[in-house]
Amino acid sequence: QVQLVESGGGLVQAGGSLRLSCAASGRTFSSYAMGWFRQAPGKEREFVAAIIWSGDNTYYADSVKGRLTISRDNAKNTVYLQMNSLKPEDTAVYYCAASQRYSGGSSYRGNYDYWGQGTQVTVSS
């Protein structure tokens, strides 16, 4: 069982930056692939970024490439999402997720086994 707790969300102006953190419980964190997803009002939850268990490979949605960076610190059981050059369309609740079955990472939300409660990111124009 893994529990995930996100933090770092908030209100920021367009062009600004935020850093989200996701702290995980459990001794097997380093064996999980981790992902970030987001859900805007009235829209489906969508993939943002993923990182494999070792941190060696990362994957991004086209809409965030070059602006958002996912990373992890297995010693701290934490995954991060550095968000730069934010746009109003980035406004959403951001969720981190852990996949035990797909340690190589996945953009499909059905492949993730554990989810955090989400943190709100609001980008004003």
Side-chain angles (χ1 to χ4, degrees):
Q1 193 67 277
V2 174
Q3 291 186 324
L4 305 172
V5 179
E6 302 98 333
S7 61
L11 174 64
V12 64
Q13 288 188 330
S17 298
L18 282 174
R19 188 193 196 202
L20 305 184
S21 298
C22 174
S25 64
R27 294 176 294 177
T28 58
F29 172 78
S30 60
S31 67
Y32 289 75
M34 299 298 295
W36 285 97
F37 290 75
R38 66 186 182 186
Q39 188 167 17
K43 293 189 176 181
E44 295 283 321
R45 190 171 300 189
E46 65 175 5
F47 170 74
V48 174
I51 187 166
I52 72 169
W53 66 274
S54 65
D56 289 342
N57 290 329
T58 56
Y59 308 92
Y60 296 94
D62 288 343
S63 60
V64 306
K65 281 181 181 177
R67 301 188 298 116
L68 276 58
T69 303
I70 188 171
S71 61
R72 67 190 295 162
D73 185 339
N74 287 343
K76 296 182 178 180
N77 279 16
T78 302
V79 63
Y80 305 98
L81 186 67
Q82 179 65 44
M83 309 169 70
N84 298 330
S85 301
L86 284 163
K87 305 175 181 179
E89 51 263 44
D90 293 317
T91 295
V93 177
Y94 283 71
Y95 299 88
C96 73
S99 178
Q100 185 176 20
R101 295 170 288 151
Y102 295 87
S103 59
S106 173
S107 62
Y108 175 51
R109 64 186 185 185
N111 288 341
Y112 288 83
D113 306 294
Y114 305 101
W115 293 83
Q117 83 289 349
T119 186
Q120 176 71 46
V121 171
T122 303
V123 184
S124 63
S125 57

